[in-house]
């Protein structure tokens, strides 16, 4: 179950992050600061903190809710997340940001942007689905987040293609809906 939680967390978060507002934020930070290692370090720390809290919340919910209610809640959540993935995020203004260094700007802005984001909600749901695999979900969701943002940080504008983002959202939506259906059917 540990490997399953890790692989599913990594894949769903990585695919779910494509075209997301935090990925757009990574692109904007890379354009502004031109310090990819510092930006990546800020994103990694912000993700570990944000997803650590999310995994804790998801595991706590799993212990509080009756099993059948949790199954319906999780299955429905994954399906709703899949539908939410079909609504692309818009680029958000980063602000001047020159008063902060690249690491601080990436850490603070990424942490705040991730609050209530699809990938945070997905991480909570994954932790509720795999409550005994806290570290697998945390490391998988963090790896997925970093894996989706590294190319954007280093390659910037070359990767922004509306057609690719549209298909990425559709594939991600299908995976979330599929995982929701599998959760509801007990597979």
């Amino acid at each position: 179950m540990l490997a399953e939680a890790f692989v599913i967390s990594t894949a769903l978060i990585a695919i779910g992050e494509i075209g997301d507002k935090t990925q757009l934020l990574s692109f904007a930070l890379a354009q502004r600061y031109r310090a990819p290692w510092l930006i990546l370090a800020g994103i990694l720390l912000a993700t570990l903190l944000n997803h650590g809290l999310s995994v804790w919340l998801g595991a706590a919910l799993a212990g509080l809710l009756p099993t059948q209610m949790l199954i319906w809640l999780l299955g429905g959540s994954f399906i709703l997340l899949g539908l939410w993935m079909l609504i692309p995020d818009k680029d958000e203004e980063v602000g001047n940001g020159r008063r902060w260094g690249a690491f601080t700007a990436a850490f603070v802005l990424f942490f705040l942007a991730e609050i209530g984001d699809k990938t945070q909600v997905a991480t909570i749901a994954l932790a509720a689905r795999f409550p005994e695999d806290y570290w697998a979900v945390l490391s998988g969701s963090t790896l997925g987040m970093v894996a989706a943002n590294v190319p954007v940080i280093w390659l910037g504008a070359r990767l922004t293609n509306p057609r690719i983002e549209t298909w990425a959202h559709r594939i991600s939506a299908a995976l979330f809906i599929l995982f929701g259906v599998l959760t509801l059917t007990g597979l």
Side-chain angles (χ1 to χ4, degrees):
M1 196 90 153
L2 185 70
E4 180 185 12
F6 177 78
V7 170
I8 289 172
S9 296
T10 302
L12 283 178
I13 298 304
I15 293 170
E17 178 67 5
I18 296 172
D20 194 66
K21 70 182 176 209
T22 47
Q23 194 177 47
L24 297 172
L25 175 61
S26 296
F27 176 75
L29 288 166
Q31 290 295 302
R32 178 168 320 251
Y33 290 103
R34 310 259 186 230
W37 288 108
L38 292 173
I39 293 165
L40 180 59
I43 288 170
L44 177 63
L45 187 58
T47 302
L48 281 169
L49 180 59
N50 189 294
H51 286 202
L53 294 169
S54 300
V55 171
W56 173 80
L57 177 61
L61 286 175
L64 294 174
L65 298 175
T67 303
Q68 192 58 41
M69 180 185 284
L70 186 62
I71 289 171
W72 283 100
L73 181 65
L74 290 175
S77 295
F78 282 122
I79 291 169
L80 288 174
L81 281 166
L83 296 173
W84 189 6
M85 290 302 300
L86 296 173
I87 304 169
D89 290 317
K90 303 293 181 218
D91 195 2
E92 295 184 355
E93 182 62 37
V94 176
N96 184 351
R98 290 288 182 189
R99 63 184 159 192
W100 293 345
F103 172 81
T104 304
F107 173 74
V108 171
L109 293 172
F110 206 86
F111 181 83
L112 293 174
E114 188 63 13
I115 294 172
D117 194 57
K118 291 177 282 228
T119 50
Q120 184 189 39
V121 174
T123 301
I124 292 169
L126 285 162
R129 171 74 171 84
F130 301 105
E132 66 283 352
D133 295 326
Y134 178 94
W135 294 109
V137 173
L138 176 59
S139 58
S141 69
T142 301
L143 177 62
M145 182 69 72
V146 169
N149 281 288
V150 164
V152 172
I153 294 169
W154 267 275
L155 300 176
R158 291 183 214 150
L159 290 180
T160 57
N161 181 326
R163 196 176 270 172
I164 291 171
E165 286 183 24
T166 299
W167 278 104
H169 277 278
R170 290 176 183 164
I171 291 168
S172 178
L175 286 173
F176 274 106
I177 291 168
L178 174 65
F179 198 64
V181 169
L182 291 174
T183 299
L184 290 172
T185 60
L187 298 175

